[in-house]
Amino acid sequence: MIPDSDPWADLWVPTLRVARPTDDIEALLPFYVDGLGFQVLARFEDHQGFSGIVLGHPRQPYHLEFTHQVGHRVGRAPTQDNLLVLYLPHRAIWQAAINAMQESGFEPVPSYNPYWDRYGQTFEDPDGYRVVLANKSWDR
């Protein structure tokens, strides 16, 4: 455990990258870029048989990476409970995020776990994976 007073503490915070395969990278871009506001941080083509895209926010320590291997089919999400949850505690910011998703053509879907319907809206990407925009803070 790193003490809070450690002046080097920021150097110990890792960057989190969530990576998953997809059959169609381009089909995901409207959902994650136009709807959720992620930016394209990097792209790669045919890197040992894989192509991909890294999405994120330039100063945030997390990324989403989507990869595709030619000739390999991955299909849709295995369940409706495969989630990314984004906590947006300020109501105006949360509502702006909901509006951006809807203006980009994405409508909320009922959450598989009703807990999330109490605190936010769930959206499903073209691969069947879901993102919850939760209007609450994450309390530790």
Side-chain angles (χ1 to χ4, degrees):
M1 186 77 170
I2 301 165
D4 290 336
S5 61
D6 184 348
W8 300 96
D10 285 344
L11 298 177
W12 294 96
V13 176
T15 298
L16 171 69
R17 179 173 293 175
V18 177
R20 74 167 169 87
T22 181
D23 290 323
D24 189 347
I25 292 170
E26 296 305 315
L28 296 176
L29 291 179
F31 185 89
Y32 290 95
V33 174
D34 301 336
L36 291 173
F38 283 82
Q39 296 175 28
V40 176
L41 301 179
R43 279 184 179 264
F44 55 93
E45 297 291 329
D46 196 22
H47 182 259
Q48 297 180 321
F50 291 85
S51 295
I53 192 162
V54 178
L55 305 177
H57 302 285
R59 293 185 305 269
Q60 298 301 321
Y62 59 87
H63 305 144
L64 301 177
E65 178 179 355
F66 299 101
T67 61
H68 177 69
Q69 182 182 19
V70 175
H72 182 75
R73 178 150 168 66
V74 297
R76 293 182 55 77
T79 74
Q80 293 177 336
D81 207 26
N82 284 86
L83 304 174
L84 288 176
V85 179
L86 302 176
Y87 290 92
L88 302 166
H90 300 286
R91 181 89 179 165
I93 293 170
W94 174 79
Q95 189 61 59
I98 298 296
N99 293 346
M101 287 298 288
Q102 292 179 316
E103 289 166 6
S104 295
F106 302 98
E107 291 299 322
V109 297
S111 183
Y112 179 78
N113 179 339
Y115 173 85
W116 296 113
D117 288 336
R118 282 186 284 177
Y119 296 106
Q121 298 281 312
T122 301
F123 295 86
E124 187 174 280
D125 81 9
D127 288 343
Y129 288 85
R130 292 180 171 201
V131 174
V132 176
L133 299 177
N135 184 212
K136 64 181 306 230
S137 61
W138 183 73
D139 301 318
R140 297 179 214 190

